[in-house]
Each structure stands twice: as C-alpha cells, then as structure tokens.
Amino acid sequence: MANPYGALFRTPGSLAFSAAGFVARMPLSMTGIGIITMLSQMRGQYGLAGAVSATFTLSMALCGPQISRVVDRRGQSKVLLPATGLSVIAMGVLLLCARYDAPVWTLFVSAAAAGTMPNMAAMVRARWTHLHRGSDRLHTAYSLESVVDELTFVVGPALAVALSTALFPEAGPLLAAVLLALGVLMFVPQKRTEPPVLRPAADDAPRVSALRGGPLVLLALTLVAGGTIVGTVDVVSVAFAEEQGSPAGAGIVLSVYAIGSAGAGLVFGALRLGVPLPRLLLLSTAGTALTTLPLLLVENIATLSAAVFFSGLFFAPTMIVVMGLVEKTVEPAALTEGMTWAITGLSVGVALGASVSGGIVDRFGPSGGFTVAITAGGATVLLALTAQGPLDRSLRARAEAPAEKGDAKPVLRTPCGHEERHPAPVPPDHDARRAR
C-alpha cells in the first residue's frame, strides 16, 4: 500500500511549513512547566510558581482564539509577527523580573502579556486544510498533526525542566521564547502555502465568532475532558512512581502513553473509514472511557504502563475526529479560530486535570487521582452523545449551503488596495466526493 504520509509531503512547500510549524509550536508545551520550574527554584514558592504559570495558561486560552480570529480576517503573515513579538518581549520581561527579584505583581502582568503567543498548531492545520480541502489527504494531515502534538507535549516539558535544572533557572522559558521567534520567522515568509483571507459566502453575512451556532462548543468541551485525562495521567504517574520507590519509572509510563497515542494516530491516519464522523466521535470517546477503567487495577509500574498504553490508543484518534468535525462544521472564513478553540480546549483540560488530580492525590493517594481520569472519560462520552444531533444538523446544513449560497471566496487585494473576489479553488476529486 502506498505511504499516505509520503504522498502528503509531495505537495510543494508542505515540508517547509510543517517543519517551521513544529519549531514554533514547541513553546506551547514548554512555557508553562518552564515558568513553574524557574520560579520554584528562584523564589522557593511552588504556590507562586503555579499561580504565575496558570496566569500564562489562562491568558493564552483567552487570547489564542481572538488572535486566530484576526488571522482569519487579515491573514497569517499580517498577524503572526506582531502577536509573536509581544509574547517574546513579555517573556523576556518575565525572565528579567524573576532574575532581579521584582515585585510579585510584575510576574503576573508579564505572564499575562506572554499569553498572546499564537496557536501555531492551528496555523499549520489551516495550511493543510487550504492545500487538501475536499481530499482524503486532509484526514492524513490531521492525523499527522495529532502525532506532532503528542511529540511536542512529550519532548517539550522534559526539555524545559532539564534545561532549567541543569543550566540556569531561566533556561527553559528562554529557549521557548527563542524557538517561538525562530519558528514564526521561518513560517511567515512561506507565502505559497498561506491560506487566503476568506469572506463569508453571503456578502452581507456579519462576522461572528466561530463559537456562535454549530457544535463547536461541544467539540471543544470534548477535548477539555480528553485533556483532563492526559493531565491526570501526567501527575498521577509521577506520584505513583514515587510511591513505588522508582521516580524514574514515571518517565517510562509517560513515554508508553505517548507511544500508544502516536502509534494509534499514525495507523488511524492511514485508514479510509466509511463511518460518519459523528459516529466515529462516539466510538472513540467510548473507547477512551472504557480504557480508563483498568487504571483502578494497577499494582506496579509495569501494569500502569500497560494500562496507560491502551488508554492512549484512543486519544489521538479522538482528537483527529474532532479536528475533522471542526473543518466540516465551522465556516471556512472562521476555520483558524475554530481550530484554535478546539486546541485551546485540550490545553485547558490538561491544566485542569493536573490541578484537580494533584489535589486529590495529596488527600487520597495516586489511586484516588485515577478517579479523575475515569470521570473525565465518562464526560467525553456524554458530550459526544449530546453532540450527535447538532453535528448531524450542522453537516447537513453545510452540505446544502453551496447549492444555495455558493462557497466562501478568497479576497485578494490589488496594489491600489481594492478587493477582488475569486472563486475558491476546488480540488480535482471534490465534485466526486460531494456526489457520493
């Protein structure tokens, strides 16, 4: 069978923007834990370190979708550089405030400003969507991106902690800021793969948030619940390994979890399934919920590794299906914002799972922490069930919309500043797929 991933990168420019995007998205997973490691060493207050890191995470969750919304309106090249510049400068201020023992409030202000970091995972997915909309390759591209996300969330935190403990406390966040600037500077000049600015299909349609109407809220909440499982596994694995007298075993457990998720994502991306996406969402979340139950039966590092491996098998496919549904149900003119909301939901869930499970572990031990993952697994199924009706209605409405209104059209600006409308390019196999 032909390698679908090799075919993906035969598209001109795809390897270049994907590589630049990988560099630019590493800071997403490095910065939060880097701030905690830095401040806990320099100030000796874990509470303060966690609060400043949470401020950064919350700011990023609030600012990210708004930045992506502006990207949808003005284009990646016009927005990414200013947003990145503000984030990098604010991160530099945060490092200086930490180094020179500035008042505590300056840490929170600079961390909040650093949250303007653009969501590069959504930017990369938007480019894949522009290149392969209506093609089977888009499913493969989303699968690849889920594996890349998994890789960054495995490598990034470990790298940030290692640098801050081995070199100097600011090393982890400093590298994150450098990678963000470098990655965006490599990403933005690649114009031939940049998605064009789209206007709504109806010229008089008002610009509204991607969250209004449609099932995007339910899809984002599904990833919040899924991310809660990931955050719980991270924290409880560390606590369980320490309880077993083998702190290094936590690294093995988390690596096995990542391998299971990434492997499942690669296999899922190579499949061509005939099951409708809403049903796939229900199946994948049901698998997610069922595979959290063995966590209650773990007795040692080996059994915990086996349990999280099977739990990871459903994480990447669930995320792939969610992103596919976002692409199918969100208006093309708001696609980047929609994808950012979904990825933000995942990040919020990871932070929520780590916070809640950490408190429960302090009171009831690691076995109590696993109940958070099981509860979150049940929540994913309930959300998927609730979303079935809205998803079906939204997919039907999108399928009927082109015949009634016409597709969204790219807007190109002439040297004089006037706008010219051109019909959106249609992939060769689009009409055949629509007919099916």
Side-chain angles (χ1 to χ4, degrees):
M1 184 178 65
N3 179 5
Y5 296 98
L8 199 62
F9 285 107
R10 284 199 291 269
T11 304
S14 57
L15 182 59
F17 82 73
S18 183
F22 176 77
V23 174
R25 69 210 282 182
M26 282 291 290
L28 182 67
S29 63
M30 294 177 63
T31 306
I33 189 65
I35 291 173
I36 292 175
T37 307
M38 175 184 71
L39 292 179
S40 63
Q41 290 184 88
M42 300 180 76
R43 303 261 177 147
Q45 301 176 38
Y46 284 94
L48 173 63
V52 174
S53 178
T55 299
F56 166 78
T57 302
L58 179 60
S59 174
M60 191 167 58
L62 294 175
C63 294
Q66 307 312 316
I67 292 170
S68 293
R69 188 178 182 187
V70 179
V71 167
D72 283 326
R73 293 183 175 187
R74 304 198 59 189
Q76 292 183 354
S77 58
K78 291 186 177 181
V79 179
L80 291 183
L81 288 177
T84 299
L86 177 57
S87 180
V88 170
I89 291 172
M91 183 58 64
V93 172
L94 174 61
L95 300 185
L96 291 174
C97 291
R99 167 58 60 179
Y100 293 103
D101 202 25
V104 168
W105 66 266
T106 62
L107 303 178
F108 288 95
V109 171
S110 53
T116 57
M117 179 186 298
N119 193 309
M120 294 305 298
M123 305 302 161
V124 173
R125 283 179 168 90
R127 293 202 177 204
W128 284 123
T129 305
H130 167 58
L131 294 176
H132 299 298
R133 188 188 299 276
S135 166
D136 288 338
R137 290 183 181 178
L138 188 56
H139 169 73
T140 304
Y142 287 163
S143 301
L144 175 68
E145 289 305 304
S146 74
V147 174
V148 174
D149 286 335
E150 194 74 48
L151 181 62
T152 58
F153 275 93
V154 170
V155 175
L159 180 60
V161 172
L163 289 174
S164 291
T165 54
L167 298 179
F168 51 92
E170 304 96 328
L174 177 61
L175 179 62
V178 170
L179 290 177
L180 177 63
L182 179 62
V184 171
L185 287 174
M186 293 189 301
F187 187 84
V188 168
Q190 299 179 43
K191 303 293 187 180
R192 63 178 173 176
T193 56
E194 180 179 352
V197 175
L198 299 178
R199 294 290 182 258
D203 291 340
D204 59 348
R207 282 280 191 171
V208 296
S209 171
L211 282 178
R212 294 190 180 183
L216 180 58
V217 172
L218 291 170
L219 293 174
L221 288 175
T222 299
L223 287 186
V224 170
T228 301
I229 298 175
V230 177
T232 299
V233 170
D234 289 346
V235 170
V236 180
S237 295
V238 173
F240 185 84
E242 290 180 352
E243 185 180 71
Q244 294 289 309
S246 178
I252 297 174
V253 173
L254 296 179
S255 296
V256 169
Y257 183 71
I259 290 171
S261 180
L266 289 173
V267 172
F268 190 74
L271 299 176
R272 294 293 175 261
L273 302 175
V275 182
L277 284 176
R279 308 300 177 267
L280 277 178
L281 178 64
L282 187 57
L283 291 173
S284 63
T285 53
T288 298
L290 289 174
T291 51
T292 59
L293 297 178
L295 293 173
L296 294 176
L297 306 176
V298 299
E299 297 179 350
N300 49 46
I301 297 296
T303 55
L304 176 59
S305 298
V308 300
F309 174 80
F310 287 105
S311 181
L313 291 178
F314 288 91
F315 177 73
T318 299
M319 187 170 181
I320 294 165
V321 172
V322 168
M323 299 309 296
L325 284 166
V326 171
E327 189 268 333
K328 296 291 186 185
T329 57
V330 172
E331 286 292 332
L335 181 62
T336 309
E337 181 195 351
M339 290 184 169
T340 303
W341 278 115
I343 298 169
T344 297
L346 177 65
S347 300
V348 170
V350 172
L352 179 65
S355 175
V356 174
S357 63
I360 292 181
V361 166
D362 287 340
R363 295 187 61 183
F364 303 105
S367 59
F370 284 130
T371 60
V372 178
I374 295 171
T375 303
T380 62
V381 178
L382 291 176
L383 287 165
L385 279 170
T386 305
Q388 293 299 297
L391 285 171
D392 288 337
R393 289 191 294 272
S394 182
L395 289 171
R396 283 198 301 270
R398 284 290 304 277
E400 296 167 359
E404 298 174 358
K405 300 180 181 179
D407 291 324
K409 298 175 284 294
V411 175
L412 305 179
R413 290 180 172 81
T414 66
C416 297
H418 301 295
E419 292 185 351
E420 296 180 350
R421 293 186 181 272
H422 300 271
V426 180
D429 60 339
H430 182 68
D431 289 337
R433 286 174 56 78
R434 183 179 293 173
R436 290 198 298 268

